[in-house]
Amino acid sequence: GENVEQHPSTLSVQEGDSAVIKCTYSDSASNYFPWYKQELGKRPQLIIDIRSNVGEKKDQRIAVTLNKTAKHFSLHITETQPEDSAVYFCAAHLSGNTGKLIFGQGTTLQVKP
Amino acid sequence: KAGVTQTPRYLIKTRGQQVTLSCSPISGHRSVSWYQQTPGQGLQFLFEYFSETQRNKGNFPGRFSGRQFSNSRSEMNVSTLELGDSALYLCASSLAGEDYGYTFGSGTRLTVV
């Protein structure tokens, strides 16, 4: 079945540095790839998403890239700030598999002041 | 507009009991999906409802069930609770359960003792 692998599981960076989180999916019919940020005790919040017909998308300090051939997508956060510290989840939606997101295992990002 | 509302926020139940959780989606959203979040298994898809019909189902036992009402509000029921059912239960609403915009509620923290 569909599977999403996410790396690294933990990431520690200095404030102002960049952070990159990578995910690989197994089913080439996946057509939508959202990224969620979850702070402790709070709901997952959508921070950026990309559809399979787009290679890259950027929103201020956050960008996502998609390589359909290699079946992997990445989250890039530039100029990190302490408030970026959270758990980040990638996910994939398989075309036709309504309502279902397959999540990666999460990356705990720590931004040190 | 109002977000996704889940009630109650916290529940403590005893093994063998049953529990019902509620999710009110964003106005206009017709698809409601349910997820179980645990430290060990991450975010796992339970099922999705659209227009009062279960359209998709994950790999959970029959003790987990749900329904959706004509106003798109959804309920999830777990019968014969087990200790392993302790988790954060999240619902996500979207327009139609396809490749766009899943918004999560704050979840119900269920503890089974």
Side-chain angles (χ1 to χ4, degrees):
Chain A
E2 173 71 5
N3 186 47
V4 175
E5 297 285 339
Q6 182 173 346
H7 299 280
S9 57
T10 60
L11 180 58
S12 182
V13 300
Q14 287 295 133
E15 182 177 0
D17 287 350
S18 294
V20 180
I21 303 170
K22 299 182 178 182
C23 289
T24 304
Y25 60 98
S26 59
D27 198 314
S28 56
S30 297
N31 62 351
Y32 173 66
F33 308 91
W35 285 88
Y36 287 87
K37 174 184 179 183
Q38 188 175 30
E39 296 175 81
L40 194 62
K42 296 194 175 181
R43 66 185 182 95
Q45 282 199 291
L46 178 68
I47 56 171
I48 197 166
D49 56 10
I50 193 167
R51 285 197 172 105
S52 58
N53 58 348
V54 176
E56 184 173 359
K57 184 177 178 180
K58 190 174 181 181
D59 182 5
Q60 299 182 344
R61 296 187 298 110
I62 295 173
V64 56
T65 58
L66 172 65
N67 182 327
K68 285 197 299 183
T69 303
K71 290 190 284 187
H72 67 70
F73 56 113
S74 301
L75 177 71
H76 305 253
I77 305 174
T78 59
E79 301 171 20
T80 54
Q81 300 164 4
E83 51 265 39
D84 293 330
S85 297
V87 180
Y88 291 80
F89 292 95
C90 64
H93 174 267
L94 185 60
S95 180
N97 212 345
T98 61
K100 182 177 181 179
L101 296 175
I102 303 295
F103 284 86
Q105 285 298 102
T107 297
T108 300
L109 173 63
Q110 182 187 27
V111 180
K112 298 177 182 176
Chain B
K1 54 184 178 182
V4 180
T5 303
Q6 290 190 248
T7 56
R9 289 295 311 276
Y10 303 93
L11 268 176
I12 300 176
K13 290 286 186 179
T14 304
R15 269 184 304 174
Q17 288 186 313
Q18 74 165 16
V19 66
T20 299
L21 314 180
S22 178
C23 173
S24 293
I26 290 171
S27 178
H29 284 193
R30 296 171 64 191
S31 169
V32 175
S33 301
W34 288 89
Y35 292 82
Q36 182 193 66
Q37 185 175 27
T38 59
Q41 298 298 316
L43 280 147
Q44 292 191 294
F45 173 78
L46 282 152
F47 33 65
E48 182 241 5
Y49 284 85
F50 181 85
S51 292
E52 302 178 64
T53 301
Q54 187 183 88
R55 275 199 310 191
N56 203 354
K57 189 176 186 304
N59 298 321
F60 278 81
R63 301 185 297 108
F64 292 83
S65 63
R67 59 178 176 169
Q68 187 180 36
F69 301 94
S70 58
N71 61 356
S72 294
R73 187 178 72 87
S74 177
E75 288 182 347
M76 189 190 98
N77 184 274
V78 188
S79 62
T80 320
L81 284 165
E82 300 177 359
L83 295 178
D85 296 333
S86 294
L88 180 65
Y89 289 89
L90 294 158
C91 74
S93 82
S94 67
L95 281 169
E98 297 294 345
D99 59 341
Y100 179 74
Y102 292 77
T103 302
F104 281 85
S106 296
T108 294
R109 172 74 62 184
L110 172 65
T111 302
V112 183
V113 298

